[in-house]
């Protein structure tokens, strides 16, 4: 059994925990879809409901998810759950999805970008992912909240949303097979989760600039990466995170840290950083979602 420790995450490579080859009796895949890493996206004009290109990019985002599903179906997948995981969590066009797909939409939800995943799935695919807030490269690089968070550490290691989500999936015994996004995002996930297949759909020049593939070429890159990921399913490691899980959140502002430190769960590490311990990734995820969601004025 190959045991490789990467920072605080223990990555168990293939062998004893290898996922079995696809049998004949149907297989379920979970696809988490963000938007910053969709081919062609470079600024908020494509990402927000007020952007002049948002409507068009909802179509392109849906088409990239559909490309991943088509490739997974060709490789033996029979059931698909897609988690709309950007902004309002209501970007994907439900009417454009095939009949064998169920869509997770709306927010807040306790497991955010991974809501709907359980241990019965045979693999996870990330589409449209972006690099982390501590990465100096990548279109719209951020971690969970571009406005509020300056770092997210899991067991002492700064992680990208993809690595965090892979750790959540790993705890359920499910491997991440493929990721798409810009080159920085794909490389960052691959550095923390070895063996994951990548589809690079753009090459960043900055936070709001990139050289991008055409939508057709982006979908082709995604189809190929998903096919490779499913074919190599037995060799891609499942992320095993050491428990209890220690999470460190660095806020961009001062007062969240001050107020959270009133609660014994949170230890104030410095002016902008709090730390908490959770019994597992599921609990860590719920606490993170609470921290990024709760406000006194929540209605209804
Ligand atoms: Zn997003």
């Amino acid at each position: 059994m190959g045991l490789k420790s990467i920072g605080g995450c223990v990555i168990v490579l293939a062998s004893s925990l290898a996922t079995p080859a696809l049998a004949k009796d149907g297989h379920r895949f979970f696809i988490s879809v963000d938007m910053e890493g969709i081919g062609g996206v470079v600024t908020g004009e494509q990402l927000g409901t007020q952007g002049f290109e948002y409507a068009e990019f909802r179509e392109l985002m849906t088409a990239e998810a559909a490309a991943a599903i088509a490739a997974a179906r060709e490789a033996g997948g029979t059931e698909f759950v897609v988690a709309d995981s950007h902004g309002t969590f209501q970007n994907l066009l439900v009417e454009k999805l095939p009949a064998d797909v169920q869509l997770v939409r709306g927010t807040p939800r306790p497991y955010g970008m991974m809501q709907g995943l359980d241990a019965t799935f045979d693999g996870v695919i990330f589409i449209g992912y972006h690099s982390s807030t501590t990465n100096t490269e990548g279109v719209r690089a951020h971690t969970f909240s571009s406005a509020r968070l300056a770092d997210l550490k899991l067991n002492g290691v700064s992680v990208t949303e993809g690595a965090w989500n892979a750790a959540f999936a790993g705890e359920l015994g499910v491997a991440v097979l493929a990721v798409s996004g810009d080159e920085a995002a794909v490389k960052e996930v691959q550095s923390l989760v070895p063996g994951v297949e990548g589809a690079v759909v753009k090459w960043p020049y900055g936070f709001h600039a990139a050289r991008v593939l055409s939508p057709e070429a982006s979908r082709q890159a995604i189809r190929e990466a998903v096919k490779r990921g499913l074919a190599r399913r037995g060799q891609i490691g499942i992320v095993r995170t050491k428990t209890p899980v220690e999470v460190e959140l660095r806020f961009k502002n001062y007062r969240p840290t001050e107020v959270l430190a009133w609660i014994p769960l949170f230890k104030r590490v410095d002016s902008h950083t709090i730390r908490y311990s959770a019994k597992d990734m599921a609990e860590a995820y719920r606490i993170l979602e609470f921290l990024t969601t709760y406000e006194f004025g929540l209605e209804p």
Side-chain angles (χ1 to χ4, degrees):
M1 182 169 80
L3 260 182
K4 196 171 164 194
S5 184
I6 296 189
C9 295
V10 176
I11 313 284
V12 178
L13 295 171
S15 52
S16 74
L17 282 166
T19 41
L22 290 179
K24 291 112 210 140
D25 58 338
H27 282 85
R28 316 180 73 208
F29 290 94
F30 184 88
I31 298 125
S32 171
V33 190
D34 203 349
M35 199 166 193
E36 288 84 349
I38 297 295
V41 169
V42 284
T43 72
E45 296 292 358
Q46 294 85 47
L47 293 166
T49 55
Q50 305 304 312
F52 81 98
E53 279 187 319
Y54 175 67
E56 193 177 335
F57 276 79
R58 290 181 74 189
E59 301 266 0
L60 295 174
M61 179 191 190
T62 307
E64 288 195 10
I69 291 162
R73 192 186 291 109
E74 255 178 63
T78 51
E79 263 186 81
F80 308 93
V81 173
V82 175
D84 191 326
S85 299
H86 170 75
T88 62
F89 289 11
Q90 298 164 82
N91 311 279
L92 292 165
L93 300 164
V94 64
E95 74 275 16
K96 300 262 165 95
L97 294 173
D100 52 1
V101 176
Q102 294 184 358
L103 178 62
V104 177
R105 48 187 339 234
T107 182
R109 53 199 201 206
Y111 299 113
M113 304 175 83
M114 300 302 278
Q115 192 77 50
L117 181 72
D118 60 40
T120 66
F121 282 83
D122 298 283
V124 169
I125 297 160
F126 296 149
I127 298 297
Y129 271 43
H130 52 81
S131 57
S132 75
T133 184
T134 52
N135 199 323
T136 55
E137 289 172 35
V139 170
R140 303 285 288 203
H142 69 275
T143 309
F144 290 113
S145 168
S146 47
R148 307 285 173 221
L149 295 180
D151 197 5
L152 169 65
K153 282 185 180 167
L154 175 57
N155 288 339
V157 180
S158 292
V159 289
T160 162
E161 290 170 17
W164 173 275
N165 290 339
F168 175 80
E171 191 168 85
L172 292 165
V174 186
V176 177
L177 305 177
V179 55
S180 81
D182 69 23
E183 188 181 43
V186 168
K187 275 188 183 167
E188 199 175 16
V189 169
Q190 287 176 328
S191 74
L192 289 159
V193 189
V196 176
E197 290 290 344
V200 173
V201 300
K202 55 192 161 192
W203 291 265
Y205 292 128
F207 192 77
H208 276 160
R211 175 166 53 87
V212 308
L213 292 178
S214 70
E216 176 53 41
S218 294
R219 292 191 290 266
Q220 187 56 33
I222 287 167
R223 282 191 288 268
E224 285 166 12
V226 169
K227 273 187 207 162
R228 289 195 306 271
L230 265 72
R232 289 186 47 249
R233 192 164 151 267
Q235 288 105 57
I236 296 178
I238 292 170
V239 177
R240 297 283 174 187
T241 310
K242 201 177 76 196
T243 55
V245 176
E246 192 173 89
V247 180
E248 224 173 86
L249 271 181
R250 182 163 179 80
F251 290 88
K252 291 188 177 175
N253 290 315
Y254 185 95
R255 285 200 301 163
T257 333
E258 179 181 288
V259 174
L260 285 168
W262 298 347
I263 300 173
L265 173 64
F266 302 110
K267 181 179 170 7
R268 191 172 189 177
V269 178
D270 61 34
S271 59
H272 286 69
T273 312
I274 55 120
R275 181 188 297 147
Y276 66 89
S277 179
K279 74 174 162 58
D280 53 22
M281 275 307 298
E283 187 177 284
Y285 215 133
R286 289 195 304 275
I287 295 170
L288 178 68
E289 287 301 311
F290 173 85
L291 289 172
T292 55
T293 299
Y294 184 76
E295 49 178 307
F296 189 51
L298 276 181
E299 291 176 347

